[in-house]
Amino acid sequence: MKPKMMHVVAVGLALAMMLSACSMRTSAQKQETTSSPSASASQTGGKIASSLQEFAQSLLDEDAKHPSMADEQKEVIERAGESNGKLGRADCEQAWSTYSTCITSRGWTSPPVIQHGDLYGEPQVNTKGMSKEQSDKLFDDIQDCAFKYKTNVDSLYRTQVGNPGLSSDTDQLIVDCLIKNGVVPVSFTKKQYKKEMGEDLSPGEKYTGPTSFSVSDERVQSCFFAQGFYFNDDAGTSEPVWKPIS
């Protein structure tokens, strides 16, 4: 069957999630929610860090250069950096709760939270009926609340759960997960995955061949979600959509 159109975005970046402003894509494109050294993993031999503790410290180092974390979030990351780098689920839950409180304090409705296993994510945002000024303010508020209260906690916890080996190869992590979940055969390769996702195609070219998995499959969604991606409604999922104004 032909691949369903999908929009895979990084958890935490609101602009890409706004239904009225985004275009559908057939390839997985992750936008970093933090400017940590994960984007330059070649420095550590293909890993985002040598340990979770080092990754936690890199988040603190980046915040020291470009302050964005509120004290509540910074204290959690500092605690992780002083130990083995690991967080408890309660730390992640509290970060998301504080983020939600921040959003509602700005005059918006409470955003639903997507959950797959122990991980949490942003809902899609329906900006229908909102003016450009409202949409701009919403984006600013989401970004500000996220960076202050949960982005780095979520990044560290998501890495702990979904990438314990600290690999920088997101495509291979997803392929390994699809194989582990029994979605694709063990012979399925990263090259085939990238082909089906349209990552190796020329500009303007679309993959029209058969696909090895369906994005409506919960097992597939969990693999992408673990790496900070999710699919929108048009991909055949039933994730909640957030309408910020009542």
Side-chain angles (χ1 to χ4, degrees):
M1 69 180 171
K2 293 182 180 181
K4 289 187 176 183
M5 298 294 282
M6 62 188 73
H7 186 194
V8 191
V9 298
V11 173
L13 282 183
L15 186 61
M17 296 187 298
M18 292 184 179
L19 297 182
S20 63
C22 68
S23 60
M24 300 300 293
R25 301 173 185 168
T26 56
S27 60
Q29 299 184 18
K30 185 175 184 179
Q31 302 175 26
E32 296 296 330
T33 57
T34 176
S35 53
S36 74
S38 61
S40 55
S42 58
Q43 298 176 1
T44 54
K47 290 191 173 186
I48 61 174
S50 63
S51 66
L52 275 175
Q53 185 177 19
E54 182 182 279
F55 183 53
Q57 186 58 52
S58 74
L59 298 175
L60 292 170
D61 292 343
E62 186 62 32
D63 189 70
K65 297 177 185 176
H66 308 286
S68 63
M69 285 194 286
D71 290 343
E72 296 95 319
Q73 182 176 202
K74 187 181 295 185
E75 289 171 3
V76 175
I77 301 296
E78 287 176 340
R79 172 162 44 84
E82 292 169 356
S83 56
N84 58 5
K86 292 187 176 182
L87 300 177
R89 181 174 179 177
D91 293 318
C92 192
E93 290 177 343
Q94 182 59 54
W96 278 91
S97 176
T98 306
Y99 160 74
S100 180
T101 299
C102 178
I103 291 293
T104 57
S105 73
R106 307 290 177 91
W108 307 108
T109 63
S110 180
V113 177
I114 299 172
Q115 184 173 359
H116 285 275
D118 288 339
L119 299 175
Y120 299 88
E122 302 273 10
Q124 288 189 78
V125 183
N126 184 349
T127 60
K128 185 177 181 179
M130 294 174 59
S131 66
K132 183 181 184 302
E133 289 73 20
Q134 287 177 310
S135 295
D136 288 345
K137 181 181 184 300
L138 174 65
F139 170 69
D140 290 341
D141 287 344
I142 291 176
Q143 182 170 259
D144 186 55
C145 289
F147 282 130
K148 279 183 177 177
Y149 298 112
K150 61 91 174 170
T151 295
N152 285 334
V153 167
D154 182 77
S155 178
L156 182 58
Y157 188 70
R158 188 176 299 275
T159 299
Q160 173 184 324
V161 173
N163 185 16
L166 302 174
S167 171
S168 65
D169 193 340
T170 303
D171 288 336
Q172 189 61 55
L173 287 167
I174 292 174
V175 169
D176 291 344
C177 180
L178 293 174
I179 292 173
K180 180 181 178 181
N181 286 358
V183 177
V184 296
V186 294
S187 58
F188 189 68
T189 64
K190 183 173 74 171
K191 181 178 180 180
Q192 180 63 26
Y193 163 80
K194 294 180 72 173
K195 178 181 179 181
E196 294 184 14
M197 295 297 288
E199 292 186 21
D200 288 337
L201 300 179
S202 302
E205 185 180 2
K206 294 182 179 181
Y207 178 72
T208 58
T211 56
S212 303
F213 54 89
S214 169
V215 300
S216 62
D217 189 328
E218 167 68 23
R219 298 171 300 170
V220 173
Q221 294 172 32
S222 66
C223 289
F224 280 91
F225 198 81
Q227 303 310 321
F229 299 95
Y230 72 91
F231 300 95
N232 71 6
D233 271 1
D234 292 339
T237 70
S238 57
E239 304 289 15
V241 176
W242 175 38
K243 191 169 179 57
I245 55 176
S246 54

